[in-house]
Amino acid sequence: MNSREQILAKVAANQSATLSLPADVTFTPDGDVLETFKAVALAVGSKLFEVNQVSEIPGMITEQFPFAKRIVSPLPEMAVIAETDLAGINDPHTLKDVDLAILQPHFAVAENSAAWITEDRMGQRIVPFICQHLAIIVPVQDIVATMHQAYERIANADYGFGGFIAGPSKTADIEQSLVLGAHGPRSMTIFLVR
Amino acid sequence: MNSEQKEHAGLAETFNKDEDRVNWHDETLWWIRQKRDKSAHNIPEWETLRNTASAIKNHVLSNLHNYLVEFEANAKANGIIVHWAANAQEHNQIVHGILKEHGITQMVKSKSMLTEECHLNEYLAQQGVDVIDSDLGERIVQLAKEPPSHIVLPCIHKKKEEIGEIFHENLGTPAGVSDPQVLTETARQHLRETFLTRKVALTGVNFAIAETGDFVVCTNEGNADMGAHLSDVHIACMGIEKLIPKRRHLAIFLRLLTRSATGQPITTYSSHFRKPRPGQQMHLVLVDNGRSTQLGRPDFRNSLKCIRCGACMNTCPVYRRSGGHSYHSAIAGPIGSILAPNLDMRQYADLPFASTLCGSCSNVCPVKIDIHDQLYKWRQVIVKEGYGNKAKGVGLKVMNWTLSSPGAYHTAGKLGRAVMRIAPFAVNNPLNPWYKHREMPQAPKESFGEWYKKNRK
Amino acid sequence: MTVGLFIPCYVDQFYPNAGIATLQLLEKLGVNVVYPENQTCCGQPMANSGYEHLTGKCDELFVDNFSSFDYIVAPSGSCTLHVKEHLHAHQYPEKAKHIRSHIYELVEFLTDVLKVDKLPARFPHKVGVHQSCHGQRGLKLSQMTELVEPFFSKPLQLLNMVEGIELVPLDRTDECCGFGGTFCVAEEAVSVKMGKDRVADHIRHGAEYITGADMSCLMHMEGILRREKSNVKVLHIAEILNAG
Ligand code: SF4
């Protein structure tokens, strides 16, 4: 028997009689979804800006990130300030000097301010992690209350890679002192589009 | 000290020689427990989430065979290469085999308690492979040549000055620098170079979804993603108990995991890996290493529900005052104490006794493992299997007390002072561990029994 | 109603006043109390050390002594919990079952069975309440801080009926004191440190007395208080509820 068969046989022999799967639970908390989202986003270290239209964002970015030499974004609306042909990149290492990436996730979650994004919206998988700063665009109608609603929306989507991102990368490994900017972005800026 | 002789009471006593450090360690972890409380109390449905998570995991464990088969099929269909390892050694060989195949001698690794359990780093070092741990805390203990002392906070036992010293020696920071901001920035720069130059990245797995073949990795630092997405080969290692049935079940587990661990509403990154990037190879190693044995122990199988949040350690009044290394096992604290005896009952016979059975661990556990009841049950098993002596550092007095009591009742017919005289708090001599730091209770003029005879008859 | 009084071994030998207060308090509340003189120990020290399989004789004796009562009451959460969870008697399973479901720790007997709503007690002192783990997390004498559930506390409910008492707040309301049965000697260093920290919390908040429903925890803390030459005293909750 190879290890696979050996493990499966032992598991089959040792597992208990089947216990039933519990009914699905879902909760919708009281409280305003947008207000909750904003409060949690600030609490996890994100910066927030509210805009009326996406077209306002490039100008604001130029203002907020004057130091950014290399800006990337798969969004055509950002072409005025960013490289947008990311899908054509063969070697992700060439993104190592990206100062700012601007992405639009599918939606965000109020209870933890996490934004769900799949690789087709990243340009390259490494983009949201390797950039020094990350900015995301979230239309207010794309905020759901909790993770239950989040997975209802994701459902059985087909993706190669997807993830929730909540705030800048961080660590508290040294004496529990919170430091923003561990290995991923040093900051997370959220543009809420009304 | 060789590992055979290590036992919790002695290691804990050493840790307690520096009371200020014990206070600091206790306060730091208690603070995290309080953050967990605050976060949990914000979720009115918290207990329902725990019940549901527990029931889902129980269901998975009772149907693990089919879920493993389902998961494997889906992962393969997604283009992932799946391996099976019966034990730690096979796991290490599989990882090394993949590295050899690609002619690789350097690898970057994000947090994986499983690889700690398998002692992968030591194994690969012997094979001439250089592994760099990319989680900041793990990197710190790696540079210090120590194992992690906590599953979520690997260097929680180290003060920032000590970390500054380690960085000074290894990473060239100026002597005396201990500002966490500066140290973290130094590690960021140093590890960025590592991420950019390593062709193979290894990550752990927090959850694997049978229905879709997804596996989910949670980090705050982004180190798993930095490693994985820049690598030509991504190796993910997971214990066979990490499965959950459906993607939507992640809602429950991700709501619970980080709130329990650190009080954050979620980790910064919850990455769902499903297919390799074009041109990338993705390997997944499914590891048993004793889990199927534990599954066959009805009293202990539900320890496999653990999602490694670390809450039971943060709340444990013993862990907080004895430090993670006193458990001399890859996984410390209450959960480590019910997992380790399954791997080696003799070596870890002491761990189920390193507890007051206060029960706080079971109450914080997001998947409702009855940890303190299992500690009690392990004690019974360990004594019956004849490993009781190893379990008792101070040993014999306790044995005498406990063992002689039933005999004394039997012959005397009732509990007399003869029995109480050998109870630890009744022996007034300096060799008695009770008396070292505590006064004995004062003997009253008469016992309750004697009083009763005089006053109520 | 006849109650069998179970006085744990160390209470009998070292803290008879806790036993006396329990008896007097129950009598004051009109309960007919009998103390079977043949009683010994519940077997917990053995069982917690891994020797549950040797507690058979203890269990049988316990059944002999207590199976004839309507209720069994003990001034100890820990011993009560042990009997509730682990008392077995091969010859008389029914009797053992009766005991397991009719044994009460004193506090819960007062609040849940007698449903006491006033007490003629007076204790004009500052008191810190120690929540012993077996009483709290095992018998659920009060809500546990880990759970997201409504607050309640049976010991506080009773202590609040005592005239003149001032209950002091604590930083950690339900942290273990480190007694833990044989843990107190097997893990001496950690046990003592836990006890010192618990005692310090009470002292920091101005307690003159530390009370609780488990004398074993109090004995451990008293050992530390006396070694530290502190004036703070320990008293079993029965002694306060019976005071004045
Ligand atoms: S046993 Fe429970 S509390 Fe402890 S690490 Fe595992 S899941 Fe977390």
Side-chain angles (χ1 to χ4, degrees), chain C residues 15 17-19 21-22 123 215 234-244:
Chain C
Y15 297 95
N17 289 340
T22 302
F123 194 75
M215 210 59 230
V234 302
L235 272 185
H236 190 272
I237 192 167
E239 296 175 79
I240 294 182
L241 300 179
N242 189 49

Side-chain angles (χ1 to χ4, degrees), chain B residues 151-152 257 260-261 303 305-313 315 331 334-336 338-339 361-362 364-369 371:
Chain B
I151 59 177
V152 173
L257 176 65
S260 298
S303 60
K305 292 192 291 184
C306 176
I307 58 171
R308 302 287 190 271
C309 73
C312 56
M313 304 180 178
T315 200
I331 299 181
I335 179 65
I338 59 173
L339 291 176
C361 47
S362 307
V364 294
C365 178
V367 288
K368 299 192 79 164
I369 300 172
I371 307 171

Side-chain angles (χ1 to χ4, degrees), chain B residues 184-440:
Chain B
T184 303
E185 181 62 27
T186 305
R188 177 184 170 98
Q189 303 294 350
H190 152 77
L191 282 160
R192 192 156 259 257
E193 225 16 70
T194 307
F195 289 127
L196 287 166
T197 51
R198 296 304 183 270
K199 297 203 171 342
V200 178
L202 189 147
T203 68
V205 170
N206 290 86
F207 304 98
I209 302 154
E211 173 193 51
T212 59
D214 288 39
F215 64 89
V216 177
V217 183
C218 304
T219 75
N220 278 321
E221 299 183 7
N223 55 319
D225 289 286
M226 282 294 277
H229 304 313
L230 287 170
S231 69
D232 297 339
V233 180
H234 175 187
I235 307 171
C237 301
M238 59 177 268
I240 54 172
E241 82 283 19
K242 293 280 174 204
L243 288 174
I244 58 175
K246 312 254 178 224
R247 197 185 261 166
R248 65 171 184 272
H249 292 139
L250 282 169
I252 294 156
F253 290 100
L254 292 182
R255 293 191 81 189
L256 287 166
L257 176 65
T258 320
R259 288 186 174 98
S260 298
T262 61
Q264 289 171 263
I266 191 169
T267 46
T268 304
Y269 305 105
S270 310
S271 295
H272 298 45
F273 293 87
R274 188 137 172 273
K275 297 172 187 168
R277 192 180 79 231
Q280 189 192 36
Q281 245 187 37
M282 200 178 266
H283 294 263
L284 200 120
V285 190
L286 289 163
V287 185
D288 181 346
N289 202 35
R291 287 163 177 77
S292 60
T293 307
Q294 188 88 318
L295 191 65
R297 303 180 194 267
D299 282 344
F300 305 114
R301 63 162 61 106
N302 87 27
S303 60
L304 299 172
K305 292 192 291 184
C306 176
I307 58 171
R308 302 287 190 271
C309 73
C312 56
M313 304 180 178
N314 305 339
T315 200
C316 178
V318 177
Y319 175 91
R320 278 188 262 112
R321 294 178 184 81
S322 67
H325 291 154
S326 65
Y327 295 81
H328 58 91
S329 147
I331 299 181
I335 179 65
S337 300
I338 59 173
L339 291 176
N342 173 59
L343 288 173
D344 186 336
M345 216 182 287
R346 190 164 60 95
Q347 192 181 342
Y348 300 117
D350 55 323
L351 295 185
F353 294 85
S355 164
T356 61
L357 306 181
C358 78
S360 186
C361 47
S362 307
N363 275 350
V364 294
C365 178
V367 288
K368 299 192 79 164
I369 300 172
D370 53 340
I371 307 171
H372 72 295
D373 288 333
Q374 291 191 38
L375 288 166
Y376 176 90
K377 287 173 185 163
W378 268 119
R379 294 180 184 187
Q380 313 306 323
V381 173
I382 283 164
V383 166
K384 272 200 186 144
E385 302 274 323
Y387 300 117
N389 279 322
K390 147 78 182 169
K392 292 289 168 181
V394 196
L396 283 177
K397 278 208 182 67
V398 180
M399 291 298 173
N400 279 338
W401 177 35
T402 56
L403 275 177
S404 59
S405 307
Y409 298 139
H410 185 53
T411 51
K414 69 170 212 162
L415 179 75
R417 290 193 193 248
V419 175
M420 293 309 290
R421 248 190 284 128
I422 55 168
F425 36 83
V427 188
N428 192 351
N429 92 48
L431 289 177
N432 174 0
W434 174 281
Y435 189 65
K436 233 166 122 185
H437 295 104
R438 285 165 290 211
E439 294 298 319
M440 316 308 290

Side-chain angles (χ1 to χ4, degrees), chain C residues 130-197:
Chain C
H130 176 66
Q131 302 282 5
S132 290
C133 305
H134 286 169
Q136 194 206 16
R137 297 197 182 81
L139 297 174
K140 313 231 176 331
L141 293 185
S142 45
Q143 191 51 273
M144 301 156 267
T145 52
E146 298 93 358
L147 300 186
V148 181
E149 300 277 8
F151 175 82
F152 70 89
S153 169
K154 295 174 188 179
L156 292 186
Q157 192 185 322
L158 293 172
L159 287 167
N160 281 327
M161 297 174 196
V162 176
E163 194 193 322
I165 197 166
E166 186 186 332
L167 299 173
V168 304
L170 297 173
D171 292 330
R172 302 187 188 180
T173 53
D174 56 4
E175 174 139 302
C176 177
C177 68
F179 173 68
T182 50
F183 182 88
C184 74
V185 286
E187 288 268 359
E188 187 266 345
V190 179
S191 172
V192 165
K193 180 60 184 150
M194 287 168 71
K196 279 167 78 170
D197 290 355

